Every structure is written in structure tokens, then in C-alpha cells.
Amino acid sequence: MSQLQERVETLHELLNQYSYEYYVQDNPSVPDSEYDKLLRELIDLEEAHPEFRSPDSPTVRVGGQAQSTFEKVNHDTPMLSLGNAFNEEELRKFDQRIREQVGQVEYMCELKIDGLAVSLKYENGRFVQGLTRGDGTTGEDITENLRTIHAIPLKIKEPLTFEVRGEAYMPRQSFLSLNEEKEANGEQPFANPRNAAAGSLRQLNSKLAAKRKLSVFLYSVNDFTHFNAETQSEALDELDQLGYKTNQERQRVDNIDEVLAYIEKWTEHREELPYDIDGIVIKVNNLEQQQEMGFTQKSPRWAIAYKFPAEEVVTTLTDIELSIGRTGVVTPTAILEPVRVAGTTVSRASLHNEDLIHEKDIRIGDSVVIKKAGDIIPEVIKPILDRRPEGTETYHMPTHCPSCGHELVRIEGEVALRCINPKCQAQLVEGLIHFVSRQAMNIDGLGEKIIHQLYEHNVIRDIADIYYLTEEDLLPLERMGAKKVENLLEAIERSKANSLEHLLFGLGIRHLGVKASQVLAEKYGSIDHLFHVTEDELMEIPDFGHKLAQSVVTYLENDDIIALINKLKDKDVNMDYKGVKRTEVDGHPDFKDKTIVLTGKLHQMTRKEASNWLELQGAKVTSSVTKKTDLVIAGEDAGSKLDKAKKFDTPIWSEEDFVDKQKEIEG
Ligand code: IVH
């Protein structure tokens, strides 16, 4: 072996050793400068002698070439998820079921790290491939980014070929500094460490990923053939021996009472940890017993995740703001004294409608309890009556539109108050914002602020005016340079060529969503054919109800609308179906092209929101359960549809399962 080659190997060993001490053992033996110096030496050596480069050289920690996409790769065995428990009762049930099945057991209690599941493959002891969980069956190859995580050994102590799984995460401290930096640069900060970790691992440029200080805890091995372990506890110890980072707060316990004590301890102390956890994972310790119990479709029967309850905090409600949507619905929003909850600062929360405000008797000036539903959407739970200051008054929605002054009406059977003035400024502006949005005409660069300004300056009054915009109209606006104007005008020009469904959706016809716009465009081919269509004809289209049919026909009969369409035609805006699919959303395979039924009461979102979301994923949301239904999402008090689903053996998800999936997909 040449001297140079020997030096390269020594450098590999030293650098790996120092990474291990620093990032896995949390116990560095040399100052950072020593590591940096040796790394520099190795980088220089590799530059001068490219033949010494290798995929597991410690120089990969700094990142490599940027990629254009992540390759999709099938998992050797699916990456499942865990069933959830939210309280003691559910945990005791879990324990009982287990003891009925396999008798006396020991449990392993582990922290449930709030990050992203990853799978790491080793061949002959070298890290060769790392995948995200993806949909559980197929993940994305993020090897280059994972190599930059120092806690992941590039080479382990034995020449094993196997797969380890664990959770990649961003320590709180790294998260805080990253956000500080983002804010200083005027960039949008990440909502929480989990999102930051997900964003970092999805960086196509691994040099950028390398700058994000991520770490990992490994918690399972796919195949125990090369392990001596008989228990989860021994398996984790072996992972330690091999050089992996495992979580040291784990605890082996003898029974469910000790599990509960462990949960209690971490409920109290979780904030002291340097990373976020969102629960506790409880696993049957004995591997043979695990095997005996096996798996359901989605998760192992021998483990469960206890989820911490959503964090609740108290703050002051300083005002109630009203906003008017595109369809005139007036929505009240609580303005809150900013407060941190579940990882982000919250200063607003939707109050949905007047009924809800009255039901909870929420008043301006109240101290209110808030939480984040599903740890995502801020929600006011209740006022604290003991703390109600003197002089507060029951809240009443205004009788007139705060934007145009027109009287508000409450449509029968609806809780919402609505401004029905078709010329209401707030609605028109919302309509314009909708028209340019991604799924409608998709005009890049025409943001809300610009639309507001253009409206206020009297430059645009209706959607067609967008196509009459000139450089002179745009240049005087705030923060508008020549280049921006040019790009914007180009984007407007481009949008003229969109296929009909974009225009149909963009018009904002009541009840006409993305999916129905697509159906109409495809069926009728051009707007002129649609002008002649009758309600009865429309109602023959599957999923077109009376309301929608009526809404479309009435809309297209309106003289103002006909004039508007002509104004668009004058500017050569395309009115034909081009046979192109609507903006392709890479639907998640769990939902894409699946027929899904929503039933029961949802707590974390409205059904409409859920169904919109599903449709964006390419699902078909229908109202009745048949043999063809692929999935039923059942909220509280789901009735006959749920029974039917059981009869047909249709997979059934709880709202919780659904929200978990959403979180997973959206990162
Ligand atoms: S065991 C079959 N242990 O929680 C799945 N999971 O749905 C076995 N997680 O996305 C998972 N910490 O990535 C296990 N100590 C831990 C964990 C853990 C976090 C994540 C996991 C998965 C989710 C469970």
C-alpha cells in the first residue's frame, strides 16, 4: 500500500472516530479545529488524487453534487406505522390484548421522536443507501443527504449486510438557529423542527442539507439473523455496539403500570429534552413474542404509540376580525396575544361562525384556552370565565358587510353569514385572487398584495382586466422592477393558453370545484357549447347535483358574465378543452385514483376541507359506500356508512389515521 493510500485510510478512521465521539457519544476527544484540519487535508488529497474518492469517505459529510430528483425505490419490507393510544384506558386495553395472546410480557418503552422515519442500508458494513418512508411501500432515495448526517456511521464495526431503521430529526437548538438565520434573511421560518428536518432531507443539493444540523436515532433492525439479540432491548444494545446512535432514555419495564409511570415521567420532562418528542412508543420486548403476534395491514400488533395530548395554552383574545371570502361568506377570526403552542407562535385562530362564538360565549378581552387541532390548526377551545374582565360584551356579528356595507344575510340551513352584493369589493378581490391561483389560471407572480394594489388603484375591476394590464399599469406598484413586470406579463400571456377547465374553475362558479370543472371541460369541449346546456342535462353527469347544475346554468345566463367572457375572448384567452390533464398533482398512492367516502363528524377539519384535500391527491370522494369504495374515513358517530364498510370489508381509517397520513405527506 502506498504511503498516500495509508494516509487516506488513517484520515478515514480518525474522522469517523471523531464524528462518532462527537455526534453519537456526545463526548468529543479533540477540538473541532482538529476535525476540520484533518477533513481539509482529506479533501485536498482527494482533489489531487481523485482515485482516492469513495462514497463512504468522510468528505461526503459536506455534501456533493446537486440532484434533479430523488429516485423512488421500493422498500424490501414495507415501513409500517404504529397504532395510537391517547389515554390510560387504551393502553390497558393494549396490554390486556397482548397478555391474552402471548401471556406475560416485558415492555420496552422508547421516546417517540418527532422527525421522519428513514431506512438505512448497509452492505458489508458500509452505508450504501438511505430511503424515506414514503407511502410505506416506496420511499425516496435520499442517500446523499443522509450521508451528511454525522450521527449516521458511513462504516460500522462489522461487515454486515442489513437494514436499520430510525428517525431523523433536527435538534431544537439547530432549529432555533436555522429559523433565526431565515428570519434575518427575510425568509419564511419553519413551523417546527419536524418540518425543518423534512425540508432539509428533501434538499436536492446535499451541500445545503449538510448545513442543516440533523441527527438520527435508530430503533429497529429488519432482520435479526446476524444479531444475537433475543429482545428489543438487546437489539438496541447491539446497535450501540456497532456504532449507531440509539436513544438512551429507553427503559425496559415489567408491566403496564411501569409503562404508565414512564409516560408520566416524560409528559412532565419532555421540554427538557434537546429534541421534540410527540409521544412514547411501547413495544413487547421479546422478539419471539413479537413474531408470534405479527402485524395487521398497517402496523405491528406488538407495539403502540402513546400520543401526548395537544398542548393547551392560555392567552388573551384582543379582537375579532372579519374577513369576506370569494363567495361572500363572512368569517370571524380571533386575534390573539401572540403565544407559543406546539412549536409555533400563534396570533390568530379561526372562530368559524357566529353560532360557535355564542355557544362558547367567547368575548373580546377574554382569556382563552387555545390548542392546535391535530397539532396544526390553531383553535380557541373556551374562555376562562373566572378571569373575564369587567365590561365585556356578548359578541355580535355586524348586520352589514364590513367591506361594502351591504346588508348581510343568513341563508337558510347555513350557519354562515353572507354578503350577497355581487359588486362587494372584498369578494371581487378574493375572486381575482382565486382566478390567478395555481389550480385556476396559475399566473405566477400575481400575488395578493399586487391584486389589492391594482384594485385600489382602479386598474382592474374584473378578471378580464388582468389581460389588459400593461407595463405602465404595473411599474408604479410597490416593489415592482422592470424585470418583475416583464415576468409577470409573460406569465399572464402564458395563461391565455390554458385548457378550458382552468378558466372554468377560475371563474369561481359556486359549487364548481376543480374536479367538476375538469369534467365539464372534457365533456363539452368549449365554453360556447356550455352556454347551451340545461340543468337536466348537467344533472345526468355523475356527481352533479341540482345545486351545482343550477349554479352553472344561472351563472352562464347572466348578461354580465357573457360580457366578461367576450372581454376575455377579445384578448385571445383560450376557451377550449385541450385534452391536457389539469395541473398534475403527484397524488399520494394511498389516495390517487381511489374512491373514498367520508363519514361521521371530523374534529380537526371540516368534511369539505378533507374532501378538497383528498381530491388534490387525485382521489374521487363519493357519498355512499359500495363494493367499489377503496377507503372509508370515519369520524365520530359514524353510522350506517361505517356498518356498510365493515360489511364490505372496506378499509376504515379514523380521523387520527387520516391526519397522521396528511402530516406524513406534507412533512
Ligand atoms: S417503532 C412498525 N420506535 O413513529 C413501525 N417508531 O407510526 C415501528 N417513531 O413513523 C416504529 N420514534 O418513524 C418506533 N422509538 C420509536 C420511534 C418511532 C419515532 C416514528 C416512526 C413512525 C412513527 C410510528
Side-chain angles (χ1 to χ4, degrees), residues 340-630:
R340 271 192 86 74
V341 49
T344 61
T345 302
V346 168
S347 55
R348 309 166 65 85
S350 171
L351 291 168
H352 304 289
N353 56 58
E354 189 173 21
D355 284 3
L356 184 126
I357 300 177
H358 288 166
E359 219 170 86
K360 299 186 172 175
D361 188 19
I362 294 167
R363 303 182 183 190
I364 295 173
D366 271 339
S367 289
V368 288
V369 180
I370 66 165
K371 75 163 183 189
K372 284 209 228 138
D375 272 334
I376 301 179
I377 307 149
E379 181 184 19
V380 176
I381 304 175
K382 59 173 187 205
I384 303 180
L385 297 178
D386 298 351
R387 294 210 207 156
R388 176 165 282 170
E390 269 177 42
T392 62
E393 288 166 21
T394 302
Y395 179 78
H396 291 290
M397 295 278 274
T399 52
H400 291 77
C401 174
S403 169
C404 71
H406 194 283
E407 195 174 354
L408 297 176
V409 297
R410 194 163 176 156
I411 295 181
E412 234 190 85
E414 287 185 22
V415 277
L417 276 182
R418 209 181 271 279
C419 170
I420 50 164
N421 172 12
K423 302 226 147 56
C424 168
Q425 166 172 342
Q427 288 178 55
L428 294 175
V429 170
E430 291 301 320
L432 286 162
I433 292 171
H434 170 76
F435 183 75
V436 304
S437 65
R438 203 168 59 84
Q439 295 215 297
M441 295 302 270
N442 191 17
I443 303 180
D444 224 17
L446 199 50
E448 288 188 28
K449 287 213 176 95
I450 301 181
I451 289 184
H452 274 284
Q453 286 183 61
L454 288 170
Y455 195 93
E456 270 153 31
H457 294 175
N458 251 324
V459 184
I460 50 177
R461 275 283 163 271
D462 60 39
I463 53 179
D465 288 334
I466 292 174
Y467 293 97
Y468 291 77
L469 283 172
T470 61
E471 218 177 78
E472 292 76 58
D473 293 329
L474 294 167
L475 267 175
L477 302 184
E478 282 164 38
R479 296 207 221 149
M480 257 302 177
K483 186 72 203 161
K484 245 179 155 176
V485 169
E486 190 189 319
N487 289 342
L488 182 48
L489 289 173
E490 263 172 34
I492 293 174
E493 192 59 33
R494 256 199 317 274
S495 76
K496 286 183 182 173
N498 285 343
S499 180
L500 176 63
E501 63 276 20
H502 290 273
L503 176 66
L504 284 178
F505 179 62
L507 290 171
I509 303 172
R510 292 271 307 269
H511 310 298
L512 187 75
V514 175
K515 193 173 69 171
S517 305
Q518 169 78 22
V519 172
L520 282 188
E522 217 172 314
K523 188 169 167 70
Y524 292 95
S526 91
I527 195 119
D528 292 329
H529 291 141
L530 263 173
F531 276 121
H532 304 293
V533 77
T534 64
E535 266 177 53
D536 288 344
E537 225 179 305
L538 286 176
M539 276 164 65
E540 276 170 24
I541 306 175
D543 292 334
F544 273 56
H546 178 246
K547 257 193 189 167
L548 173 55
Q550 190 183 35
S551 164
V552 171
V553 171
T554 327
Y555 182 89
L556 292 171
E557 271 170 8
N558 186 323
D559 285 341
D560 289 342
I561 301 300
I562 296 171
L564 183 72
I565 302 278
N566 285 331
K567 194 166 156 189
L568 287 165
K569 280 185 181 168
D570 287 345
K571 281 291 174 183
D572 296 325
V573 174
N574 170 55
M575 305 270 161
D576 297 325
Y577 180 60
K578 293 192 165 175
V580 251
K581 281 205 183 142
R582 76 188 128 111
T583 338
E584 266 298 343
V585 231
D586 248 347
H588 189 278
D590 274 6
F591 304 118
K592 198 178 166 117
D593 301 326
K594 296 281 155 70
T595 305
I596 300 179
V597 173
L598 290 159
T599 178
K601 188 170 159 48
L602 300 180
H603 293 280
Q604 309 191 8
M605 66 195 92
T606 62
R607 266 216 240 157
K608 185 78 203 147
E609 282 163 348
S611 96
N612 282 345
W613 189 90
L614 286 166
E615 280 171 9
L616 279 179
Q617 294 292 333
K620 181 172 170 208
V621 181
T622 61
S623 52
S624 55
V625 178
T626 69
K627 275 189 204 137
K628 290 203 182 121
T629 308
D630 294 302

Side-chain angles (χ1 to χ4, degrees), residues 166-215:
E167 196 86 352
Y169 68 95
M170 184 176 284
R172 262 189 219 148
Q173 198 49 51
S174 320
F175 165 72
L176 293 175
S177 358
L178 173 63
N179 267 0
E180 255 172 41
E181 192 187 310
K182 282 198 157 258
E183 273 167 35
N185 293 337
E187 293 170 48
Q188 186 72 20
F190 282 111
N192 51 48
R194 185 195 143 88
N195 286 2
S200 307
L201 286 176
R202 288 206 194 104
Q203 281 286 350
L204 287 162
N205 181 348
S206 57
K207 285 207 167 59
L208 292 177
K211 294 205 168 70
R212 306 284 179 79
K213 309 242 173 317
L214 300 175
S215 191

Side-chain angles (χ1 to χ4, degrees), residues 78-84 110-118 133 165-167 194 219-220 232 247 278 281 283 295 298-300 302-303 305 307 660 664:
M79 285 183 86
L80 302 175
S81 62
L82 291 172
N84 290 328
E110 297 173 22
L111 301 182
K112 185 167 185 301
I113 312 299
D114 198 6
L116 272 89
V118 291
R133 176 173 186 277
R165 290 176 179 180
E167 196 86 352
R194 185 195 143 88
Y219 52 65
S220 78
Q232 165 73 0
N247 190 282
D278 59 344
V281 182
K283 304 175 182 171
F295 298 83
K298 279 171 44 187
S299 49
W302 42 265
K307 291 276 194 76
D660 276 354
E664 185 190 300

Side-chain angles (χ1 to χ4, degrees), residues 160-164 219-236 238-239 285-288 290-291 295 302:
L160 296 181
T161 296
F162 77 140
E163 181 184 339
V164 273
Y219 52 65
S220 78
V221 183
N222 231 12
D223 167 8
F224 287 98
T225 328
H226 303 287
F227 277 58
N228 297 317
E230 284 176 10
T231 61
Q232 165 73 0
S233 153
E234 287 167 9
L236 290 173
E238 280 192 51
L239 285 177
N285 195 32
N286 186 295
L287 299 177
E288 233 170 72
Q290 286 188 3
Q291 245 188 351
F295 298 83
W302 42 265

